[in-house]
C-alpha cells in the first residue's frame, strides 16, 4: 500500500463520519454499518501508533493542519514532525 493510499484513507475519515451520520438519519442501517467498519479499521490502526505519531497524523490528515500549526501543538520542529509522520505512515501501511 502506498503513502497516497494511506493519506487518502485518513483524509476520507471525516467524510465517512458524516456519511455514517447521514445514513443513520435516513435509516440506511446497512450503509451505516459498512462505513462503521471502515472507521473502526482506521481507529484501530491509529490506536496502534505512538501518541505523538497519532497526534501528527490526526492533525495533518483529519484536521488538515499545516506543518507550522502541528509543530506548535506538538512542540517539535516542523522537520521533526514530518519525519515522525513518515514513520507513522510506514507503520500504517503495514497495519492497513
Amino acid at each position: 500500500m502506498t503513502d497516497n493510499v494511506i493519506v487518502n484513507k485518513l483524509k476520507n475519515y471525516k467524510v465517512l463520519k458524516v456519511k455514517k451520520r447521514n445514513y443513520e438519519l435516513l435509516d440506511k442501517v446497512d450503509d451505516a454499518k459498512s462505513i462503521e467498519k471502515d472507521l473502526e479499521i482506521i481507529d484501530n490502526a491509529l490506536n496502534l501508533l505512538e501518541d505523538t505519531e497519532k497526534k501528527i497524523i490526526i492533525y495533518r490528515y483529519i484536521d488538515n493542519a499545516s506543518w507550522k500549526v502541528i509543530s506548535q501543538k506538538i512542540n517539535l520542529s516542523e522537520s521533526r514532525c514530518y519525519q515522525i509522520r513518515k514513520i507513522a505512515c510506514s507503520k500504517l501501511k503495514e497495519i492497513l
Side-chain angles (χ1 to χ4, degrees), residues 1 15 30 35:
M1 190 175 296
V15 174
D30 290 338
I35 290 173

Side-chain angles (χ1 to χ4, degrees), residues 22-39:
N22 288 340
Y23 286 146
E24 288 171 345
L25 291 172
L26 296 170
D27 284 331
K28 293 187 174 182
V29 177
D30 290 338
D31 293 331
K33 285 181 182 178
S34 174
I35 290 173
E36 180 64 32
K37 286 179 188 176
D38 292 340
L39 290 170

Side-chain angles (χ1 to χ4, degrees), residues 52-87:
T52 302
E53 294 169 339
K54 181 178 176 179
K55 286 178 183 177
I56 289 172
I57 292 296
I58 289 171
Y59 289 148
R60 183 67 180 170
Y61 298 113
I62 296 173
D63 297 341
N64 296 314
S66 68
W67 289 114
K68 183 177 182 177
V69 170
I70 294 168
S71 69
Q72 290 169 346
K73 287 183 174 192
I74 302 290
N75 201 25
L76 295 170
S77 70
E78 288 181 42
S79 62
R80 184 63 186 137
C81 289
Y82 188 81
Q83 291 169 345
I84 293 170
R85 181 216 57 95
K86 191 172 182 177
I87 293 166

Side-chain angles (χ1 to χ4, degrees), residues 4-24:
N4 289 339
V5 173
I6 298 293
V7 168
N8 287 335
K9 282 186 180 229
L10 294 168
K11 285 184 175 182
N12 286 329
Y13 186 84
K14 275 184 160 175
V15 174
L16 289 173
K17 282 203 167 265
V18 171
K19 280 185 178 180
K20 179 181 175 275
R21 181 70 180 135
N22 288 340
Y23 286 146
E24 288 171 345

Side-chain angles (χ1 to χ4, degrees), residues 43-58:
D43 284 334
N44 289 340
L46 289 172
N47 287 331
L48 294 173
L49 298 175
E50 299 292 327
D51 189 50
T52 302
E53 294 169 339
K54 181 178 176 179
K55 286 178 183 177
I56 289 172
I57 292 296
I58 289 171

